[in-house]
Amino acid sequence: MTLLSVNVNKIAVLRNSRGGDQPDVCAAAQACIAAGAHGITVHPRPDQRHICPGDVTAIKAMLDG
């Protein structure tokens, strides 16, 4: 069986382009898991245009939690 993993990079792009803290990447990841996704995918970039190291830490804490 194939399991769904949701990529949340675009959520981070929206947040970063707006220059604030919304939309919340961790909250989006939590909503995906609550809706039945089996995993969260991120693709960090050196320029941190998408996911930032703090996002990865927060998502991991939420998934471990």
Side-chain angles (χ1 to χ4, degrees), residues 4-8 11 26-40:
L4 175 66
S5 182
V6 177
N7 185 325
V8 294
I11 303 296
C26 193
Q30 190 170 26
C32 293
I33 295 296
H38 287 89
I40 299 297

Side-chain angles (χ1 to χ4, degrees), residues 3-12 25 29 32-33 37-44 50-51 56 59 63:
L3 302 177
L4 175 66
S5 182
V6 177
N7 185 325
V8 294
N9 278 3
K10 292 297 183 183
I11 303 296
V25 176
C32 293
I33 295 296
H38 287 89
I40 299 297
T41 300
V42 297
H43 295 286
H50 295 173
I51 293 293
V56 175
I59 291 169
L63 292 173

Side-chain angles (χ1 to χ4, degrees), residues 42-60:
V42 297
H43 295 286
R45 296 173 47 106
D47 62 7
Q48 296 184 19
R49 188 176 65 180
H50 295 173
I51 293 293
C52 299
D55 298 326
V56 175
T57 303
I59 291 169
K60 182 180 181 332

Side-chain angles (χ1 to χ4, degrees), residues 14-29:
L14 283 172
R15 178 205 55 209
N16 295 344
S17 67
R18 292 177 178 172
D21 59 358
Q22 294 296 321
D24 183 335
V25 176
C26 193

